[in-house]
């Protein structure tokens, strides 16, 4: 009853569903453990000693100890807790399974300790490694690349709570041809992403959207305003692009992971003491605080954005295990709020969405993902034509430019 192409897609459906669900469960367990540890380190422990968790002293001590702890894990765990995320793309080659326990431990400690990185890169590495290791044993005829695609799609769906991001990302990598149409290739990854997203939604829903005033009818002047905002965000992001590989090389002259990450933790602690507790952690919950708060001024928003950007660069350069997309979104929100406060005539919906678009574009060099993150934080369909147009000059500005990564010879 079914065409051979349909039977092939149907055969891939069960493993895609299993991988999608498993990818989400791994993410949920890691985030839950990190949340419990974070509550202990930043609430229970300081309360026991009668210390304010937001005090500069506690922030510096906690971040320094977090760096030392992560350094010890990387130094003594098999495989040194996987590759350095600073020199790896989001979706990379499978990591050796022996490195996964150390990678998970380093990620959990970093997330709980307040390091300004997200969970996306290590969770992606864990899920890809497990999918390839198990899938290659059960179905040896299936290539490792196929397992990698399914695991990465499931993880993206789980991270963002929707399969849309996975569809956009893989639509530009899984090119169709006359024999195998694009949607045949997207069938299994989309199924994995949907399974991951639905599984995540059973336990919690990622809160990306912000309470921003709705955007009205698009005006010609708004196109120029959005393009200028995106250009400002790109300029700020390119400062980080210039700094990261140089700081990475400088910090790794210390050679020993404990020294590198201990020193990095101390720097992060000092930055956190200056910027306040809102500049700590991955930034997802903290950007909600930014949007709801009515107490920040233009200078406050600017300081928060610069401190968070510096913390992102330091954390990545020192080898903390984590991703760069979540903190980039936070920086975009802070920058967008600052620009709106500075020029109130430009709607916050434009300044925030275009700032996120520019910064995520610098970090990922993925136009679809940048559009998705901008649209999901400011969920206003009226903005979509404007964002698509603003993307064009933004892409021109970044054409041929390096990404926010360390030089590979520094690994």
């Amino acid at each position: 009853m079914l065409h051979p192409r349909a039977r092939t897609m149907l055969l891939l459906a069960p493993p895609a569903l299993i991988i999608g669900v498993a990818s989400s469960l791994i993410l949920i367990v890691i985030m839950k453990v990190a949340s419990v540890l974070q509550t202990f380190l930043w609430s229970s422990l300081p309360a026991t000693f009668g210390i304010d968790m937001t005090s500069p002293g506690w922030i510096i001590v906690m971040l320094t100890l977090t760096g030392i702890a992560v350094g010890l894990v990387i130094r003594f765990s098999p495989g040194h807790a996987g590759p350095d995320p600073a020199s790896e793309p989001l979706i990379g080659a499978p990591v050796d399974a022996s490195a996964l326990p150390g990678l998970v431990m380093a990620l959990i400690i970093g997330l709980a300790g307040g390091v300004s990185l997200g969970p996306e890169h290590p969770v992606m590495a864990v899920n890809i490694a497990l999918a390839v290791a198990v899938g290659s044993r059960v179905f040896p005829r299936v290539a490792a690349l196929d397992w990698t695609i399914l695991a990465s799609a499931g993880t993206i769906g789980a991270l963002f709570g929707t399969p849309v991001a996975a569809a956009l990302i893989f639509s530009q990598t899984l090119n169709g041809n006359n024999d195998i149409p694009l949607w045949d290739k997207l069938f299994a990854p989309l199924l994995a992403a949907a399974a991951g997203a639905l599984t995540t939604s059973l336990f919690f829903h990622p809160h990306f959207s912000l309470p921003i005033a709705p955007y009205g009818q698009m005006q010609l002047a708004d196109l120029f305003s959005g393009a200028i905002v995106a250009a400002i965000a790109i300029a700020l992001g390119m400062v980080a692009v210039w700094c990261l590989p140089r700081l990475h090389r400088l910090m790794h002259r210390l050679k020993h992971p404990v020294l590198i990450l201990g020193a990095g933790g101390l720097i992060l602690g000092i930055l956190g003491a200056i910027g306040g507790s809102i500049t700590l952690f991955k930034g997802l919950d903290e950007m909600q605080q930014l949007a709801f708060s009515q107490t920040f001024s233009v200078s406050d928003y600017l300081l928060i954005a610069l401190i968070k950007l510096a913390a992102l660069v330091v954390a990545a350069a020192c080898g903390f295990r984590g991703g760069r997309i979540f903190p980039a979104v936070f920086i975009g929100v802070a920058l967008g709020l600052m620009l709106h406060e500075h020029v109130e005539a430009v709607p916050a919906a434009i300044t925030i969405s275009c700032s996120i678009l520019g910064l995520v574009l610098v970090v990922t060099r993925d136009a679809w993902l940048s559009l998705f993150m901008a649209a999901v934080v400011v969920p206003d369909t009226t903005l979509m034509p404007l964002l698509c147009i603003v993307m064009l000059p933004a892409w021109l500005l970044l054409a041929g430019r390096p990404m926010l990564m360390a030089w590979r010879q520094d690994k």
Side-chain angles (χ1 to χ4, degrees), residues 259-279:
L259 291 177
I260 297 171
L261 287 148
L266 175 60
I267 298 171
L268 290 176
I270 295 171
L271 290 171
I274 298 171
S277 59
I278 200 169
T279 61

Side-chain angles (χ1 to χ4, degrees), residues 289-369:
Q289 299 175 30
L290 273 182
F292 278 101
S293 176
Q294 303 293 326
T295 61
F296 294 116
S297 64
V298 171
S299 58
D300 292 332
Y301 285 127
L302 180 59
L303 177 65
I304 289 171
L306 294 177
I307 290 292
K308 189 69 173 183
L309 185 67
L312 168 60
V313 171
V314 171
C318 294
F320 282 97
R321 277 17 183 188
R324 301 180 285 276
I325 297 175
F326 281 51
V329 172
F330 174 91
I331 297 166
V333 171
L335 180 63
L337 289 170
M338 185 274 290
L339 292 173
H340 172 65
E341 284 291 317
H342 185 61
V343 185
E344 294 186 2
V346 182
I350 291 178
T351 59
I352 293 174
S353 61
C354 292
S355 293
I356 293 172
L357 184 148
L359 280 160
V360 176
L361 194 60
V362 170
V363 171
T364 65
R365 212 52 54 86
D366 189 309
W368 286 124
L369 184 58

